[in-house]
Amino acid sequence: SPLSKPPDRHMDALVTVKSVGYGGLRVARRYITRPVLADLFQIKSPVLADQEGDEVVVNDKGEYQAVDPSIEYTVVDEADISGEGDEPNITYMDAGRLESMRASRMNFIKTNYRVLHPEIFTLRDSWLDPVFVQAVQDFKQKGDKEALMKALKRETATGIFSLHLFTIEFCKLLLEEVENFQASGLPLHRPNSMNRYGLILDEIGFYPLFDKLREEYIVPLSSALYPQYGGASLDSHHAFIVQYKMAEDRKLDFHFDDAEVTINVCLGREFTGGSVWFAGLVDQPETHDESYEYGFQPGLTLLHAGHHRHGAKNILSGERFNLVVWFRSASHRAETAPPPEQEHKHDHTHTHGDEQKK
């Protein structure tokens, strides 16, 4: 059953807490305590400060007093504050601490989250469009690329395809699960460096589903469509939800993905505007004059190479939720990595590529 809301609605309000150099979380007011922040941010003795730099008072139960959900807070380790007038001794983007924070966040969620639809956390063929399932099975058996094309619509000559991947019922249940999690007040980590609203599905228990989807369906598909981008050797993924709304994120700036292959599934709801536009592949300058715009419809999926440059226009009304999965290939990256001085770097928050349109 859905997680019931506590009687004190102020305690249920989401508060943004950031750690210098390590990103932030949006979490319910009731979880803003010293023990929880110590665990989530992997620091021994957390000090919480408001936007003016004033320390928030904590009571004998470890609860911070007078936290205002309308402002952002910063948390630091007391040991890093060496004294008045001194610069804090803060490390930035330590990979070990980032992984520890992620593991702690996932454990906290696993311990406290009440799942709404447990049946959708396991991939079943019945959650996938039957035409797509049959097309992939035929391709596996016959090696005939034309079998795959029965489930795809080629949108451009540059490798953008649309298809029905998941059933409408799965999209509906997934969106209900997402909203159930958002209502729980448990920690929300931004899905990437460009989208502020949404959540990382792998962190709330969906990793096995998308791992199986990659292995059984996406690899056969991408091996035929994107061999030049390591489509046959995809070995990991990053699955997340992005959310567009008038008062929140309305658009997405021009970029390319930290992925070899991307799927982008519109889950709903009712909205106008918000179309996605493409302008060629990063590694193919001859395609940079491309101008292709696609209007999302609930239930439809876009499939494209991760290095296909794109953005999303302003949403004009309503609210749009999209499921995005970045599929990656470690071997392809190792084979195509540029010299260190030219390497395009991505941060540990699963950032998009940072290219800007010229």
Side-chain angles (χ1 to χ4, degrees), residues 165-166 170-171 174 178 191-192 194-195 197-203 206-207 209-211 213 218 236-244 252 255-268 276 278 296 300-306 308 310-312 320-328 350-352:
L165 175 57
F166 294 103
F170 178 84
C171 293
L174 178 59
V178 166
N192 54 65
M194 297 182 74
N195 292 96
Y197 297 93
L199 61 92
I200 301 174
L201 290 173
D202 296 329
E203 294 190 355
F206 280 99
Y207 185 90
L209 182 147
F210 292 107
D211 198 48
L213 179 71
I218 301 302
S236 65
H237 74 268
H238 175 51
F240 54 94
I241 296 291
V242 292
Q243 182 177 357
Y244 297 94
L252 187 61
H255 68 283
F256 61 92
D257 298 337
D258 184 8
E260 274 60 67
V261 176
T262 296
I263 61 170
N264 190 337
V265 188
C266 182
L267 301 179
V276 62
F278 291 85
F296 279 114
L300 281 178
T301 297
L302 271 186
L303 169 71
H304 60 85
H308 212 132
H310 59 284
R320 175 163 68 83
F321 289 82
N322 279 53
L323 158 65
V324 179
V325 189
W326 293 344
F327 295 99
R328 296 162 171 159
H350 307 285
T351 179
H352 289 275

Side-chain angles (χ1 to χ4, degrees), residues 2-298:
L3 186 66
S4 58
K5 294 186 177 181
D8 186 348
R9 300 182 71 87
H10 176 68
M11 296 296 285
D12 200 42
L14 293 180
V15 179
T16 299
V17 180
K18 295 183 177 180
S19 175
V20 178
Y22 292 89
L25 299 172
R26 295 168 62 230
V27 61
R29 168 68 181 83
R30 63 182 179 277
Y31 293 126
I32 308 297
T33 67
R34 281 176 64 92
V36 171
L37 293 187
D39 180 45
L40 293 179
F41 288 96
Q42 290 294 286
I43 51 182
K44 293 181 179 179
S45 184
V47 174
L48 191 67
D50 62 20
Q51 292 173 317
E52 303 299 322
D54 295 326
E55 182 177 347
V56 181
V57 177
V58 64
N59 63 21
D60 56 5
K61 296 180 181 179
E63 300 168 340
Y64 293 97
Q65 302 299 293
V67 171
D68 182 355
S70 68
I71 66 175
E72 294 184 353
Y73 292 86
T74 301
V75 63
V76 296
D77 195 329
E78 189 173 8
D80 291 334
I81 305 174
S82 55
E84 186 176 354
D86 293 335
E87 289 293 327
N89 180 30
I90 296 174
T91 59
Y92 292 85
M93 303 302 290
D94 175 76
R97 180 179 165 191
L98 284 165
E99 286 302 316
S100 294
M101 287 170 59
R102 184 171 186 267
S104 295
R105 186 165 64 247
M106 292 175 66
N107 184 64
F108 189 79
I109 290 169
K110 183 177 180 180
T111 301
N112 293 282
Y113 182 50
R114 300 179 189 175
V115 170
L116 178 61
H117 296 300
E119 67 274 19
I120 67 169
F121 285 76
T122 301
L123 184 66
R124 306 173 182 171
D125 284 353
S126 59
W127 295 137
L128 302 173
D129 184 85
V131 174
F132 172 74
V133 172
Q134 188 63 53
V136 173
Q137 289 176 348
D138 288 346
F139 175 73
K140 287 180 178 179
Q141 293 171 2
K142 304 173 184 177
D144 182 4
K145 185 176 176 180
E146 290 305 313
L148 280 179
M149 297 309 297
K150 293 177 182 178
L152 304 174
K153 178 184 177 184
R154 184 185 292 275
E155 298 289 342
T156 70
T158 53
I160 302 172
F161 299 88
S162 62
L163 67 150
H164 290 278
L165 175 57
F166 294 103
T167 64
I168 292 295
E169 177 66 10
F170 178 84
C171 293
K172 172 180 175 291
L173 295 177
L174 178 59
L175 184 50
E176 290 176 0
E177 192 70 52
V178 166
E179 293 184 315
N180 184 64
F181 183 82
Q182 291 175 328
S184 75
L186 289 165
L188 286 166
H189 190 279
R190 63 189 299 173
N192 54 65
S193 64
M194 297 182 74
N195 292 96
R196 295 177 300 163
Y197 297 93
L199 61 92
I200 301 174
L201 290 173
D202 296 329
E203 294 190 355
I204 71 171
F206 280 99
Y207 185 90
L209 182 147
F210 292 107
D211 198 48
K212 187 176 180 181
L213 179 71
R214 172 192 59 79
E215 182 178 348
E216 296 190 4
Y217 291 97
I218 301 302
V219 168
L221 185 66
S222 60
S223 67
L225 301 178
Y226 306 109
Q228 72 276 32
Y229 295 116
S233 60
L234 302 178
D235 56 12
S236 65
H237 74 268
H238 175 51
F240 54 94
I241 296 291
V242 292
Q243 182 177 357
Y244 297 94
K245 193 176 181 179
M246 293 297 289
E248 298 176 358
D249 286 341
R250 292 188 60 195
K251 66 176 183 176
L252 187 61
D253 290 336
F254 191 64
H255 68 283
F256 61 92
D257 298 337
D258 184 8
E260 274 60 67
V261 176
T262 296
I263 61 170
N264 190 337
V265 188
C266 182
L267 301 179
R269 300 191 179 275
E270 294 185 3
F271 60 89
T272 59
S275 59
V276 62
W277 53 277
F278 291 85
L281 294 141
V282 171
D283 59 336
Q284 298 182 29
E286 68 275 14
T287 68
H288 290 183
D289 289 336
E290 179 182 51
S291 179
Y292 177 73
E293 187 171 331
Y294 181 85
F296 279 114
Q297 297 179 39

